[in-house]
Amino acid sequence: AWYFNRAVAIAEGLGYSEGGVLTAYWPPGWPLALGVLFKVFGPSLLVVQVLNLCCSVAIAWLTYDLCRRLFDSEPAGRAALLLLSLHPNSVAYMPLVFTEVFYTGLLLCACWLVVRPLSLASLFSAGIVFGIATLVKAQTLMVIPFAFGIALLRDLSLKSFAQKCLLGGIVLAGAVLTVLPWSLRNQRVFGEFVFVS
């Protein structure tokens, strides 16, 4: 109900507020996404459920493609998709107004962008998606160094270290630039630095 009501307030032009008072108590990403949809389609649980369904379809494809790429194996991708389809939470969260389905879609999309053939555009795009995911769950920003640390452990040369730091820096820059406007809003509203919530 809290997420739903914040999204309604956003759709009505009241900002991210509770009882007319601007807030940053929880990360704003999920209510902001819902607020945009509520502005277009009106506040409804059906809107949330359709968004969750769309995110679930994306999660299924991303799971399949990520596993296929990571293991260089079509059967691995299909097995991952089968396991995902049998996972009870994949079904249980569908009708609920929780962040999990939306967040999982964002996180998998960001990882997929990093795993694809590397380009500056895909890395920066991954950073933007990681930034949006950070606005949904603030701890996401810690995933970036962790992911590149794992990649570094696969090749412990000095050249690889410098390369992985550069690549990780591009992703991190995209994420921080995505979150920065929200942090500046918090600075203006609260008179102190609040990164996300």
Side-chain angles (χ1 to χ4, degrees):
W2 195 88
Y3 287 126
F4 190 91
N5 291 333
R6 298 301 65 75
V8 169
I10 290 167
E12 292 175 350
L14 301 174
Y16 191 50
S17 62
E18 183 171 12
V21 177
L22 293 176
T23 186
Y25 187 74
W26 294 106
W30 179 232
L32 285 171
L34 291 179
V36 170
L37 291 175
F38 288 176
K39 183 76 173 171
V40 175
F41 300 107
S44 162
L45 283 176
L46 182 62
V47 170
V48 179
Q49 291 165 344
V50 169
L51 175 60
N52 279 347
L53 179 63
C54 293
C55 289
S56 291
V57 170
I59 289 166
W61 184 83
L62 289 165
T63 298
Y64 160 76
D65 198 55
L66 266 171
C67 287
R68 187 179 61 83
R69 288 175 187 269
L70 288 172
F71 297 104
D72 194 26
S73 165
E74 181 71 24
R78 291 180 184 194
L81 184 56
L82 175 65
L83 290 172
L84 177 68
S85 67
L86 298 175
H87 187 247
N89 283 356
S90 297
V91 175
Y93 278 104
M94 286 292 297
L96 305 176
V97 189
F98 292 152
T99 62
E100 278 68 18
V101 178
F102 182 64
Y103 176 74
T104 301
L106 289 171
L107 193 59
L108 284 172
C109 180
C111 292
W112 181 80
L113 286 166
V114 169
V115 168
R116 290 178 57 220
L118 293 179
S119 70
L120 291 178
S122 71
L123 288 172
F124 194 74
S125 297
I128 291 171
V129 177
F130 271 123
I132 295 167
T134 300
L135 290 171
V136 175
K137 291 191 182 279
Q139 64 269 30
T140 304
L141 211 53
M142 299 308 299
V143 172
I144 299 168
F146 182 73
F148 281 91
I150 290 171
L152 183 61
L153 289 174
R154 297 174 77 191
D155 180 11
L156 286 174
S157 67
L158 187 58
K159 179 182 176 186
S160 175
F161 179 77
Q163 180 187 30
K164 297 292 188 291
C165 285
L166 176 64
L167 298 177
I170 293 168
V171 175
L172 194 57
V176 169
L177 288 174
T178 302
V179 175
L180 188 60
W182 179 255
S183 302
L184 293 174
R185 174 263 190 198
N186 288 341
Q187 175 69 39
R188 183 177 46 82
V189 169
F190 304 114
E192 62 181 285
F193 181 79
V194 178
F195 185 63
V196 174
S197 63

